[in-house]
Structures are given as C-alpha cells and as structure tokens.
Amino acid sequence: MTRALILTLFWGLSITSSQGQYWQQRVEYKMDIDFDTEKHQFIGDQELTYFNNSPDTITRVYYHLFFNAFQPGSMMDIRSHNVSDTDSRLLLISKFSSEEMGYLHVMSMTQNGIALKFEEQGTILVVNLDKPVLPGKKAVFKMKFNGQVPLQTRRSGRYNAEGVAYSMAQWYPKLSEYDTEGWHADPYIGREFYGVWGDFKVNITIDSEFVLGGTGFVKNPKEVKHGYGGYNGLPDSEKVTWHFEAENVHDFMWAADKEYLHKIVKVNDNLDVHLLYKDNPEYNSNWDTLAMVVPKLFNYVNWRFGKYGFKKYSIIQGGDGGMEYPMATLITGFQSLRGLIGVTVHELLHSWYHMALGNNELKYPWMDEGFTSYTSTITSNYLSGGDSLGVPDFDRAMKSVIYLLESEKDEPMSIHSDHYLARFAYGINAYSKGAIYLHQLSYIIGQKNLDETLRRYYNQWQYKHPEPGDIMLVAEKVSGLELDWYNEYYIFSTRKVDYAIKAVYGKADETRVVLERAGDFILPVDLQIELKDGSIVLYNIPLQIMRGHKPVENDKNMIFSTPWPWVSPTYELTIPYGINDVKSLHIDPEVRTTDLNRENNDLEIKTDEGILYILER
Ligand SMILES: [Zn+2]
C-alpha cells in the first residue's frame, strides 16, 4: 500500500492540502513554576502528554531550551559576531556575567514513569525515549527544570529598557515540532519560532505585588486580584499562585511587573482585551487612546480577514519593540500614539498570521511577517480614515523589494531565516517581499479574489501548519486559475520582473503595440491605454498557463486579450484606436508588480498628425 493510501485509511480525509494527507502532533502541558524575584530564577515541574498523530514511530524527542542562547559562547552569541549587519542588541550577550545570563536546564525526566537519558546541546535538549511512541499513541513526559531570566536583550528577559520586570517569552522547555518534514529542532540564534499545537495549564507562584498578564485565561481571579474578574488590589498572602489556562495554542508567554496598570476593554460579548502597561504620566493618555481604538480595530480585522478565534487578547508592555504570542503581544509602551497604535495593529494581525495560521516561522517567515505587514498596512489605512475595502499603495515595501532584488546580497525567500548571509535580506524578504507577494497576487487574480483567498485560507488553515503551497491552492480554488508557477518564481528564485513597451506602430484607425518580457520573471500584464478624449481602457493579457484571467476589477473598462504563452519573449496587440487618439500607454499602472525597470513601462505618444507612427526601442 502506498503511504498516502495507508494514511487515508487510518486518519481519514481532512482538508485539501499541498502537503499530501495532512496530520499534526498535539501536546498538553501542565506546569508548576516557583519564581524567585530576588535571584530572577525559577524552578519548574512539567508534565507533557504527547499525542503522536503522525504515521511514524517516534524514538527520540527534542525540546527547545531558548534561555541557553543568552550566554557567552552560545550559538546566538557566535552568530551575532559573524554576520555583517549584526543585531547590536545581541552583542551584549558575550559580556554577560553568570548572574546576568540566562539558562534553562532539565534536571530529571521520565517517560510514563521510567527515567530517561537526555543531553543538552545548547538550546536543544535531545531525549532518547525508553519506549517508542507508535503512530496514534501517546506518552507522558515529566521533567524538573530550573532557569534564570537573562538581562533583556532580545524578545525575553528581565528589566527591559523601559523597566518592565519580566518579559517571559520562550522561557520553558518547549517540545520541538515534528511534521510532514520530520523534526524541527532548530537551535535558537535569533529568528522566530514554530511549535506544537496544544493546551497549556500553567501555575506560576510569585510575589503577590507583581501583576501578571499573558497567554490564556486567569482561572483564579479571586485569589490573584490585580483587576482580574473585577477583583482589585493585592492578594492576601506574600506569594500567590496564578492559574493560567490556554487551549489550542502553540506557545505560552507571560509578563510581570509591579507597576502595571490593568485596563479591560470589552469589544463584544465574546472578547475582552486587557491592556497592561506601566503607570507613566507621560504615556498613560496614549494607552487610554489605544484602548478606545481597540474595538474598531478588532471589528475591522474580524470583518475583512476572518474572525478572531479567542475570547481574550492582552496588549502588554514588555520585550523590545513588538513581538507576537498566542492571545497576547509584548510591545514597548513609552512611545508616541502613532507608534503605539502602529505596533499594536501589526502584532494583533499576527493573531491571524501565526497564532491561528501556524506556519513555520523559521522556514517561511514571509507567511506571517509578510502577510501581517500586508494586512496591517490595509488596517492602518482604514483606521486613519481610509475606505473599508481600500488597499493603500505599498510604495515603501515595493521600494525595499526592488532594493533587495538589485543587491548582491539577494537570496530566495525559501532560505531558512537563520541562514541568510545578510540580516537585511532576511528582513526585506520576510516583511516587504512577503507583503508584496500578496499585493502582486492581487494583480494576477484580482483584489476581490485575493481578499476571498485570505479569508478562506484563514478559515481552512487556522490552528494548523500551512505551507507555501497551501495558500496557493486556496488562491487557485478561489480564482479558478493555475498559479503554482507564481510560488516557483517568487519564493524559490530571485528572478526579476521587467515588462516593457517595446514598439508602437500607429495608423489612422488602429495601433499595434509590441510588449516585451525583458526580465526572467513571468507575469500577466495589465496595459492601460489613455485616450486623448480622457477615457481609459485597460487590457489584461493573462499568461496562457493560468488557463483563464482575473475578473474585471473596480468596474473598469477592461478587455481581456489573447493569453501570452510564456515562452515568447514578445507579444503583439492591436488596439482599435488610431494613433492620433492615443495619449499614453502604461504597463502595471497601479504599481502592483516588482517591475525593476519602470521607465520602459510607460509611453507618451508624441505625434500631432502622424498617420504612420513608429516607435521602437
Ligand atoms: Zn511581525
């Protein structure tokens, strides 16, 4: 029997996937943490139930021990000294004393009660199992661990630049994901994350003066108070245990500070948004305004990109900029209103692109950073008075992409994000080129189809691990077009777009236009003809391999021309307008393609009486 057939028999058909028969592993974490705020250390007990939903037998498991990255000599430290445009925040690590650095060590571990052998390799724990976990079976792993919170450098740590005591992201032994491509035990050297979907029950015992926020729901508000469940003030005892629970997430973050103000905004009956920020007269009013913007923000994103799946979200001051986590974000809080709202919009959209659509951020960072950039730019445009269906120009992102495409440091978007030669190439590929992936896709399939693709992709892939082929498959189904070539060119190569108006042969009653594919990237072509009477006609020339074309966009006067077989470097089009009636021609008039040389996209016809007009270039 083929593998596919076996899978169909045992797991049934779930969703249409580019990954063959789709399955995913599952975890249930229970953790008890005792936190020492004097030494910035903690000890923990973890019980993890691992459900092997894969068709494979698991004989070994891996855990991430992220805090071990924040030590002199770690891979993160070495890497930061060996990349040309390094992240200066990380250079502090090599100077950390034993009190300042971070660590996370596993002291003992069992599988179904039997002691296990394990080995720490930097930020990865390698665990050989006592008994293999067979397909469809589960195992219970128990461990004791201890950790020290490093001084804040990147994402997590203690006492960040704004004085937030604890930004506890990537803080516990976190099981690596095993998927259709096997294990993903990537050492932590600076980029982002990937996790196993599951449920968390986390009990944190800490000095009762600290206000906590984080992933999941606080289940004992009456004990912890600090504004949860309507209970204000301090808990009665010196230390208190916070009970957090979260379901269907792939990570768990928390943060703590004594000076947090805690505000709750009710967006609707199914959603409370918690704001936790340090009391600071200079910035409190910005947070007040942010609280007022939150309902409008959620309502819009729910309407345009699909409904937020949790009943709670927390915007928490902490970290070093903005970073997304399940049901929460850590952002810096002492900033302008514009900055505060901007970073919140971006991080909130990550609740769609990564916290619901859990792509592997190390392999496909553009699927969350790029899609988040695209949708947050649209959302910010709406919040600042734009049309609800509007799409702003992506001028800045487009300029960055062109800059990278012309740079010697350009690499395909398919490079693993830790392995880029230059940090800026990662940044542009993940954020700008990822956003333009969608913007340019709207040029190919039409904006309405793109919006529908994003909604359907969200509904179909939430709480799973989508891969590049999966959004493309949804786009194909929505548009009825064949689009796999687009990923091949855009993601897996550094090919360059350049379409040109090569020649125009004018007559009194018609005009022949010769277009050229001067670059090595194939695309359909929008050719806008502006006539001297002021009217505008838009020709769309689909690629033949698309087996169709996009629908008419924005009620434009649109004419669909014969498809372009991509092997031909040129394409001829005869338009029924005499040369004296034509004012100008423009390829990609809305600037939605990454066309490197735009000078040859436009042509003004400069003739008064030319019965015969020839321009060749
Ligand atoms: Zn982001």
Side-chain angles (χ1 to χ4, degrees), residues 68-96:
N68 291 343
F70 303 106
Q71 296 172 5
S74 70
M75 280 182 71
M76 183 184 269
D77 181 30
I78 294 167
R79 174 70 173 167
S80 69
H81 288 89
N82 288 283
V83 64
S84 57
D85 53 343
T86 196
D87 183 343
S88 57
R89 290 172 288 198
L90 299 181
L91 295 176
L92 293 171
I93 293 171
S94 56
K95 301 191 181 78
F96 274 174

Side-chain angles (χ1 to χ4, degrees), residues 414-574:
S414 51
I415 297 283
H416 185 289
S417 58
D418 280 325
H419 293 261
Y420 273 89
L421 297 175
R423 201 164 70 98
F424 83 90
Y426 157 80
I428 294 176
N429 266 348
Y431 290 78
S432 303
K433 203 172 171 190
I436 299 299
Y437 171 87
L438 294 177
H439 194 45
Q440 189 167 258
L441 187 56
S442 82
Y443 176 79
I444 301 167
I445 67 174
Q447 187 66 47
K448 260 192 192 155
N449 277 339
L450 180 71
D451 280 21
E452 180 57 24
T453 296
L454 286 176
R455 280 190 293 268
R456 215 184 276 185
Y457 169 58
Y458 178 71
N459 290 331
Q460 189 174 323
W461 281 95
Q462 60 184 330
Y463 316 124
K464 298 189 180 72
H465 294 309
E467 293 186 3
D470 295 315
I471 172 120
M472 198 40 67
L473 202 52
V474 175
E476 287 200 351
K477 286 180 188 302
V478 168
S479 67
L481 302 171
E482 190 168 340
L483 301 165
D484 38 355
W485 55 271
Y486 183 57
N487 274 10
E488 284 150 21
Y489 276 78
Y490 197 84
I491 308 301
F492 299 99
S493 89
T494 56
R495 297 276 189 94
K496 290 157 185 66
V497 178
D498 183 16
Y499 277 88
I501 299 167
K502 188 177 169 66
V504 172
Y505 303 95
K507 286 196 212 164
D509 56 349
E510 63 173 31
T511 299
R512 194 154 59 90
V513 183
V514 181
L515 303 176
E516 183 189 19
R517 175 170 50 73
D520 50 19
F521 194 116
I522 60 171
L523 276 179
V525 175
D526 276 357
L527 178 69
Q528 180 175 297
I529 317 278
E530 201 184 342
L531 299 174
K532 283 190 181 145
D533 67 7
S535 55
I536 285 176
V537 185
L538 191 66
Y539 280 82
N540 175 264
I541 304 149
L543 286 168
Q544 196 180 56
I545 54 171
M546 290 164 61
R547 309 296 160 205
H549 57 73
K550 66 180 167 185
V552 171
E553 286 191 282
N554 304 326
D555 302 321
K556 281 188 177 144
N557 184 7
M558 227 164 141
I559 295 163
F560 298 100
S561 192
T562 318
W564 185 332
W566 69 266
V567 290
S568 306
T570 57
Y571 179 94
E572 282 191 28
L573 170 77
T574 301

Side-chain angles (χ1 to χ4, degrees), residues 225-286:
K225 299 192 171 85
H226 286 302
Y228 283 95
Y231 299 98
N232 292 303
L234 281 167
D236 304 326
S237 48
E238 205 175 305
K239 269 190 145 184
V240 67
T241 302
W242 293 67
H243 298 298
F244 283 93
E245 284 187 25
E247 287 179 5
N248 223 6
V249 293
H250 52 63
D251 202 0
F252 186 93
M253 176 279 290
W254 60 283
D257 196 89
K258 289 180 191 174
E259 291 167 1
Y260 275 152
L261 297 177
H262 182 190
K263 196 171 208 160
I264 303 171
V265 180
K266 201 166 189 58
V267 174
N268 56 47
D269 287 347
N270 283 316
L271 177 61
D272 287 338
V273 175
H274 295 240
L275 290 87
L276 292 130
Y277 53 102
K278 280 176 89 86
D279 191 2
N280 182 321
E282 203 179 326
Y283 297 101
N284 286 351
S285 67
N286 288 352

